[in-house]
Every structure is written in C-alpha cells, then in structure tokens.
Amino acid sequence: MLIGGCGKTLSLFLQGLKEVGADPGELAAIESTDINKEARTITLNHPVKGHRPRVLTVSQELINRLEPLMKQSGRLFDDEQLRNAFLYKRRTMVRKLSNPRLQKITFTTFRHWFATMEYHRTKDILHVQRLLGHKNIQNTLIYIDLEA
C-alpha cells in the first residue's frame, strides 16, 4: 500500500529496497554505470557501515523503471529528498488509510523484511549474510526475525 501510494521516484527507490535488501545509503548512491540491464544486476559500489561491495540481481520490472533515470550522470537518487518525501507520504497514508501501523515503517524496515524472507526461503544464514554485505554473522542475525 505504501509503495503504491508514493510518487514515481520514491516508489522506485522503495521497490529497490524491497528487492535487494540494500542499506538505504547504498541504494541511494548507485549511478547509471552500476546497473547492468542485460544481466539485470545492480552493483553496490559504495557500501556503508563497513559492508562489502556486491552485485545483486533485480527484476526486469525494476530495471525498466530505472531506465529513464539512467540517462542522468552521477547518483540516480537524492537521499535527503527521498527521506523527506517518504516521511511526508507516510504521514499522508497513515491518515488516508487510518492505519497507524504504517508510521512504524522506515527505509530499514525493507532491509529487515528482505533478510527475514530470504532466510525463510533458503534457510541459509550465510547466503543472507552475503546478500546484506555483512562481514560478521552477528550483524546478520539482527536483521532476521526467526520467529516469523
């Protein structure tokens, strides 16, 4: 509901967070040269918080939506603008849908959701660790909800 209710660029960024489980700072730092349309991959060349650089596969839909932004040089997203737009849109959607639980969603929530779903799908904690770019398995355990 939240992604669908956002504008073009913000919904694209949120879809990217949901699909790749990247840290918001890592995804905000991608440039057009980091996207391989043929292989459907995004290279995270600007890791944050000591993460490892990595190459992640994405859907064709995400690649198609990124294509118009790829014409510009430099970063595709403005982190501060996205954050402000997200906070505004989230408040609006909370009121519009009368759903206060939406207020609890942050950019990092998408990373937690991704890690938990990937772990439940594969049952491989080391696979999830590699996808998240963590060097220490203890950091990966923070992101996985083993109760779900």
Coordinates of all heavy atoms in Angstrom, one line a residue, residues 30-87:
I30 N 23.8 4.6 -5.9 CA 24.0 3.9 -7.2 C 24.0 5.0 -8.3 O 23.3 6.0 -8.2 CB 23.0 2.8 -7.5 CG1 21.6 3.3 -7.7 CG2 23.1 1.7 -6.5 CD1 20.6 2.3 -8.3
E31 N 24.8 4.7 -9.3 CA 24.9 5.5 -10.5 C 24.5 4.7 -11.7 O 24.4 3.4 -11.6 CB 26.3 6.0 -10.7 CG 26.7 6.9 -9.5 CD 28.2 7.3 -9.6 OE1 28.8 7.0 -10.6 OE2 28.7 7.9 -8.6
S32 N 24.2 5.3 -12.9 CA 23.8 4.5 -14.0 C 24.8 3.5 -14.4 O 24.5 2.4 -14.9 CB 23.5 5.4 -15.2 OG 24.0 6.7 -15.1
T33 N 26.1 3.7 -14.2 CA 27.2 2.8 -14.5 C 27.1 1.5 -13.6 O 27.7 0.5 -13.9 CB 28.6 3.4 -14.4 OG1 28.7 4.0 -13.1 CG2 28.7 4.5 -15.5
D34 N 26.4 1.6 -12.5 CA 26.3 0.5 -11.6 C 25.2 -0.5 -12.0 O 25.0 -1.5 -11.3 CB 26.0 0.9 -10.2 CG 27.1 1.8 -9.6 OD1 28.3 1.6 -10.0 OD2 26.8 2.7 -8.8
I35 N 24.4 -0.2 -13.0 CA 23.3 -1.0 -13.5 C 23.6 -1.7 -14.8 O 24.0 -1.1 -15.8 CB 22.0 -0.1 -13.7 CG1 21.7 0.6 -12.3 CG2 20.9 -1.0 -14.1 CD1 20.7 1.6 -12.5
N36 N 23.4 -3.0 -14.8 CA 23.7 -3.8 -16.0 C 22.3 -4.3 -16.4 O 21.7 -5.3 -15.8 CB 24.6 -5.0 -15.7 CG 24.9 -5.8 -16.9 OD1 24.1 -5.9 -17.8 ND2 26.1 -6.5 -16.9
K37 N 21.8 -3.7 -17.5 CA 20.4 -4.1 -17.9 C 20.3 -5.5 -18.5 O 19.4 -6.2 -18.2 CB 20.0 -3.1 -19.0 CG 19.8 -1.7 -18.6 CD 19.1 -0.8 -19.6 CE 19.9 -0.7 -20.9 NZ 19.4 0.3 -21.8
E38 N 21.4 -5.9 -19.2 CA 21.3 -7.3 -19.8 C 21.3 -8.4 -18.7 O 20.6 -9.3 -18.8 CB 22.5 -7.5 -20.7 CG 22.4 -6.7 -22.0 CD 22.7 -5.2 -21.8 OE1 23.5 -4.8 -21.0 OE2 22.1 -4.4 -22.6
A39 N 22.2 -8.2 -17.7 CA 22.3 -9.2 -16.7 C 21.3 -9.0 -15.5 O 21.2 -9.8 -14.6 CB 23.7 -9.2 -16.1
R40 N 20.6 -7.9 -15.6 CA 19.6 -7.5 -14.6 C 20.2 -7.4 -13.2 O 19.7 -8.0 -12.2 CB 18.4 -8.4 -14.6 CG 17.5 -8.3 -15.7 CD 16.2 -9.1 -15.6 NE 15.9 -9.8 -14.4 CZ 15.8 -11.1 -14.3 NH1 16.0 -11.9 -15.3 NH2 15.6 -11.7 -13.1
T41 N 21.4 -6.7 -13.1 CA 22.1 -6.6 -11.8 C 22.3 -5.2 -11.5 O 22.4 -4.3 -12.4 CB 23.4 -7.3 -11.9 OG1 24.2 -6.8 -12.9 CG2 23.2 -8.8 -12.1
I42 N 22.4 -4.9 -10.2 CA 22.9 -3.6 -9.7 C 24.1 -3.9 -8.8 O 24.1 -4.8 -8.0 CB 21.8 -3.0 -8.8 CG1 20.6 -2.6 -9.6 CG2 22.3 -1.8 -8.1 CD1 19.4 -2.0 -8.8
T43 N 25.2 -3.1 -9.1 CA 26.4 -3.3 -8.3 C 26.4 -2.2 -7.2 O 26.3 -1.0 -7.6 CB 27.6 -3.1 -9.2 OG1 27.5 -4.1 -10.3 CG2 28.9 -3.3 -8.4
L44 N 26.5 -2.6 -6.0 CA 26.6 -1.7 -4.9 C 28.1 -1.4 -4.6 O 28.8 -2.1 -3.9 CB 25.9 -2.2 -3.7 CG 24.4 -2.6 -3.8 CD1 23.9 -3.2 -2.6 CD2 23.6 -1.3 -4.2
N45 N 28.6 -0.3 -5.3 CA 30.0 0.0 -5.2 C 30.3 1.0 -4.1 O 31.5 1.3 -3.9 CB 30.4 0.7 -6.5 CG 30.6 -0.3 -7.7 OD1 31.1 -1.3 -7.5 ND2 30.1 0.1 -8.8
H46 N 29.3 1.5 -3.4 CA 29.5 2.4 -2.3 C 28.9 1.9 -1.0 O 27.9 2.4 -0.5 CB 28.9 3.8 -2.7 CG 29.3 4.3 -4.0 ND1 30.6 4.9 -4.2 CD2 28.7 4.3 -5.2 CE1 30.7 5.2 -5.5 NE2 29.6 4.9 -6.1
P47 N 29.5 0.8 -0.5 CA 29.0 0.2 0.7 C 29.1 1.2 1.9 O 30.0 2.0 1.9 CB 29.8 -1.0 0.9 CG 31.1 -0.8 0.2 CD 30.7 0.2 -0.9
V48 N 28.2 1.0 2.9 CA 28.2 1.9 4.1 C 28.4 1.0 5.3 O 28.3 -0.3 5.2 CB 26.9 2.6 4.2 CG1 26.7 3.6 3.1 CG2 25.7 1.7 4.3
K49 N 28.8 1.5 6.4 CA 28.9 0.8 7.7 C 29.8 -0.4 7.6 O 29.6 -1.4 8.2 CB 27.6 0.4 8.2 CG 26.6 1.6 8.4 CD 25.3 1.0 8.9 CE 24.2 2.1 8.9 NZ 22.9 1.6 9.2
G50 N 30.9 -0.4 6.8 CA 31.8 -1.5 6.7 C 31.2 -2.7 5.9 O 31.8 -3.7 5.9
H51 N 30.1 -2.5 5.2 CA 29.6 -3.6 4.3 C 30.6 -3.9 3.2 O 31.4 -3.1 2.8 CB 28.2 -3.3 3.8 CG 27.2 -3.1 4.8 ND1 26.0 -2.5 4.6 CD2 27.1 -3.5 6.1 CE1 25.2 -2.5 5.7 NE2 25.9 -3.1 6.6
R52 N 30.4 -5.0 2.6 CA 31.2 -5.4 1.4 C 30.4 -4.9 0.1 O 29.2 -5.0 0.1 CB 31.3 -6.9 1.3 CG 32.1 -7.5 2.4 CD 32.4 -9.0 2.2 NE 33.4 -9.4 3.1 CZ 33.2 -10.3 4.0 NH1 32.0 -10.9 4.2 NH2 34.1 -10.7 4.8
P53 N 31.2 -4.5 -0.9 CA 30.6 -4.2 -2.2 C 30.0 -5.5 -2.7 O 30.5 -6.6 -2.5 CB 31.7 -3.7 -3.1 CG 32.8 -3.4 -2.1 CD 32.6 -4.2 -0.9
R54 N 28.9 -5.4 -3.5 CA 28.3 -6.7 -4.0 C 27.5 -6.4 -5.3 O 27.1 -5.3 -5.5 CB 27.5 -7.4 -2.9 CG 26.4 -6.5 -2.3 CD 26.2 -7.0 -0.9 NE 25.1 -6.3 -0.3 CZ 25.2 -5.1 0.3 NH1 26.4 -4.5 0.4 NH2 24.2 -4.5 0.9
V55 N 27.2 -7.5 -6.0 CA 26.3 -7.4 -7.2 C 25.1 -8.2 -6.9 O 25.1 -9.3 -6.5 CB 27.1 -8.0 -8.4 CG1 26.2 -8.0 -9.6 CG2 28.4 -7.3 -8.7
L56 N 23.9 -7.5 -7.1 CA 22.6 -8.1 -6.7 C 21.7 -8.2 -8.0 O 21.7 -7.2 -8.7 CB 22.0 -7.4 -5.6 CG 22.8 -7.2 -4.3 CD1 22.2 -6.2 -3.4 CD2 22.9 -8.6 -3.6
T57 N 21.0 -9.3 -8.1 CA 20.1 -9.5 -9.2 C 18.8 -8.8 -8.9 O 18.3 -8.9 -7.7 CB 19.9 -11.0 -9.5 OG1 21.2 -11.6 -9.7 CG2 19.0 -11.2 -10.7
V58 N 18.2 -8.2 -9.8 CA 16.9 -7.5 -9.6 C 15.9 -7.9 -10.7 O 16.3 -8.6 -11.7 CB 17.0 -6.0 -9.6 CG1 17.9 -5.5 -8.5 CG2 17.6 -5.4 -10.9
S59 N 14.6 -7.6 -10.5 CA 13.6 -7.9 -11.5 C 13.7 -7.1 -12.8 O 14.3 -5.9 -12.7 CB 12.2 -7.7 -10.9 OG 12.0 -6.4 -10.7
Q60 N 13.2 -7.6 -13.8 CA 13.1 -6.8 -15.1 C 12.3 -5.6 -14.9 O 12.6 -4.5 -15.5 CB 12.6 -7.7 -16.2 CG 12.7 -7.0 -17.6 CD 14.1 -6.7 -18.0 OE1 15.0 -7.5 -17.9 NE2 14.3 -5.5 -18.4
E61 N 11.2 -5.7 -14.1 CA 10.4 -4.5 -13.8 C 11.2 -3.4 -13.2 O 11.0 -2.2 -13.6 CB 9.2 -4.9 -12.9 CG 8.3 -3.7 -12.6 CD 7.3 -4.1 -11.5 OE1 7.2 -5.2 -11.0 OE2 6.6 -3.1 -11.1
L62 N 12.0 -3.7 -12.2 CA 12.9 -2.6 -11.6 C 13.8 -2.0 -12.6 O 14.0 -0.8 -12.7 CB 13.6 -3.2 -10.4 CG 14.4 -2.2 -9.6 CD1 13.5 -1.1 -9.0 CD2 15.2 -2.9 -8.5
I63 N 14.4 -2.9 -13.5 CA 15.3 -2.3 -14.5 C 14.6 -1.4 -15.4 O 15.1 -0.3 -15.8 CB 16.0 -3.5 -15.3 CG1 16.9 -4.3 -14.4 CG2 16.7 -3.0 -16.5 CD1 18.2 -3.6 -14.0
N64 N 13.4 -1.8 -15.9 CA 12.6 -1.0 -16.7 C 12.2 0.4 -16.1 O 12.2 1.4 -16.8 CB 11.3 -1.7 -17.1 CG 11.6 -2.9 -18.0 OD1 12.6 -3.1 -18.6 ND2 10.6 -3.8 -18.1
R65 N 12.0 0.3 -14.8 CA 11.6 1.6 -14.1 C 12.8 2.5 -13.9 O 12.7 3.7 -13.8 CB 10.9 1.3 -12.8 CG 9.5 0.7 -13.0 CD 8.8 0.5 -11.7 NE 8.5 1.8 -11.1 CZ 8.2 2.0 -9.8 NH1 8.1 1.0 -9.0 NH2 8.0 3.2 -9.4
L66 N 14.0 1.8 -13.8 CA 15.3 2.6 -13.6 C 15.8 3.2 -14.8 O 16.5 4.2 -14.8 CB 16.4 1.7 -13.0 CG 16.3 1.4 -11.5 CD1 17.3 0.2 -11.2 CD2 16.6 2.6 -10.7
E67 N 15.4 2.7 -16.0 CA 15.9 3.1 -17.3 C 15.8 4.6 -17.5 O 16.8 5.2 -17.9 CB 15.3 2.3 -18.4 CG 16.3 2.1 -19.5 CD 15.8 0.9 -20.4 OE1 15.0 0.1 -20.1 OE2 16.4 0.9 -21.5
P68 N 14.7 5.2 -17.3 CA 14.6 6.7 -17.5 C 15.6 7.5 -16.6 O 16.1 8.5 -17.1 CB 13.2 7.1 -17.1 CG 12.4 5.8 -17.3 CD 13.4 4.7 -16.9
L69 N 15.9 7.0 -15.4 CA 16.8 7.7 -14.6 C 18.3 7.5 -15.0 O 19.1 8.3 -14.7 CB 16.7 7.2 -13.1 CG 15.4 7.6 -12.4 CD1 15.4 7.0 -11.0 CD2 15.2 9.1 -12.3
M70 N 18.5 6.4 -15.8 CA 19.9 6.1 -16.1 C 20.5 7.1 -17.2 O 21.7 7.1 -17.4 CB 19.9 4.7 -16.7 CG 19.7 3.6 -15.6 SD 19.4 2.0 -16.3 CE 21.0 1.7 -17.1
K71 N 19.7 8.0 -17.7 CA 20.1 8.9 -18.7 C 21.0 10.0 -18.0 O 21.8 10.7 -18.6 CB 19.0 9.5 -19.5 CG 18.3 8.5 -20.4 CD 17.1 9.1 -21.1 CE 16.5 8.1 -22.0 NZ 15.8 7.0 -21.4
Q72 N 20.7 10.2 -16.7 CA 21.5 11.3 -16.0 C 22.8 10.7 -15.5 O 23.0 9.5 -15.3 CB 20.6 11.8 -14.8 CG 20.4 10.8 -13.7 CD 19.4 11.3 -12.7 OE1 18.4 11.9 -13.1 NE2 19.6 11.1 -11.4
S73 N 23.7 11.6 -15.3 CA 25.0 11.2 -14.8 C 25.1 11.4 -13.3 O 24.3 12.2 -12.7 CB 26.2 12.0 -15.4 OG 26.0 13.4 -15.1
G74 N 26.0 10.7 -12.6 CA 26.0 10.8 -11.2 C 25.0 9.9 -10.5 O 24.5 9.0 -11.1
R75 N 24.7 10.2 -9.3 CA 23.8 9.4 -8.5 C 22.4 9.5 -9.1 O 21.9 10.6 -9.5 CB 23.7 9.9 -7.0 CG 25.0 9.6 -6.3 CD 24.9 10.0 -4.9 NE 26.0 9.4 -4.1 CZ 26.1 9.3 -2.8 NH1 25.1 9.8 -2.1 NH2 27.1 8.8 -2.2
L76 N 21.6 8.4 -9.0 CA 20.3 8.4 -9.5 C 19.3 9.0 -8.5 O 18.2 9.4 -8.9 CB 19.9 7.0 -9.9 CG 20.7 6.3 -10.9 CD1 20.1 4.9 -11.3 CD2 20.8 7.1 -12.2
F77 N 19.6 8.9 -7.2 CA 18.7 9.3 -6.2 C 19.3 10.4 -5.3 O 20.5 10.3 -5.1 CB 18.3 8.1 -5.3 CG 17.6 7.0 -6.0 CD1 18.3 5.8 -6.3 CD2 16.3 7.1 -6.5 CE1 17.7 4.7 -7.0 CE2 15.7 6.1 -7.1 CZ 16.4 4.9 -7.4
D78 N 18.5 11.2 -4.7 CA 18.9 12.2 -3.7 C 18.4 11.7 -2.4 O 17.2 11.8 -2.1 CB 18.4 13.6 -4.1 CG 18.8 14.6 -3.1 OD1 19.0 14.3 -1.9 OD2 18.9 15.8 -3.5
D79 N 19.3 11.2 -1.6 CA 19.0 10.6 -0.3 C 18.1 11.5 0.6 O 17.1 11.1 1.1 CB 20.3 10.2 0.5 CG 20.0 9.3 1.6 OD1 19.0 8.6 1.6 OD2 20.9 9.2 2.5
E80 N 18.5 12.8 0.7 CA 17.7 13.7 1.6 C 16.3 14.0 1.1 O 15.3 14.0 1.8 CB 18.5 15.0 1.8 CG 17.8 15.8 2.8 CD 18.7 16.8 3.6 OE1 19.9 16.5 3.6 OE2 18.2 17.7 4.1
Q81 N 16.2 14.2 -0.2 CA 14.9 14.4 -0.8 C 14.0 13.2 -0.7 O 12.8 13.3 -0.4 CB 15.0 14.7 -2.3 CG 15.3 16.1 -2.6 CD 15.3 16.4 -4.1 OE1 15.4 15.5 -4.9 NE2 15.2 17.6 -4.5
L82 N 14.6 12.0 -0.9 CA 13.8 10.8 -0.7 C 13.3 10.6 0.7 O 12.1 10.3 1.0 CB 14.6 9.5 -1.1 CG 14.9 9.3 -2.5 CD1 15.9 8.2 -2.7 CD2 13.6 9.0 -3.3
R83 N 14.2 10.9 1.7 CA 13.8 10.7 3.1 C 12.7 11.7 3.5 O 11.7 11.3 4.1 CB 15.0 11.0 4.0 CG 14.9 10.5 5.4 CD 16.2 10.4 6.1 NE 17.2 9.6 5.5 CZ 17.2 8.3 5.6 NH1 16.3 7.6 6.2 NH2 18.2 7.6 5.0
N84 N 12.8 13.0 3.0 CA 11.7 13.9 3.3 C 10.4 13.6 2.6 O 9.3 13.7 3.2 CB 12.2 15.3 2.9 CG 13.3 15.9 3.7 OD1 13.5 15.5 4.9 ND2 14.1 16.8 3.2
A85 N 10.5 13.1 1.4 CA 9.3 12.7 0.6 C 8.6 11.5 1.3 O 7.4 11.4 1.4 CB 9.6 12.4 -0.8
F86 N 9.5 10.6 1.8 CA 9.0 9.4 2.4 C 8.2 9.7 3.7 O 7.1 9.2 4.0 CB 10.1 8.4 2.7 CG 9.7 7.1 3.4 CD1 8.9 6.2 2.8 CD2 10.0 6.9 4.7 CE1 8.5 5.0 3.4 CE2 9.6 5.8 5.4 CZ 8.8 4.8 4.7
L87 N 8.8 10.6 4.5 CA 8.2 11.0 5.8 C 6.9 11.7 5.6 O 5.9 11.4 6.3 CB 9.1 11.9 6.6 CG 10.4 11.3 7.1 CD1 11.3 12.3 7.8 CD2 10.1 10.1 8.0

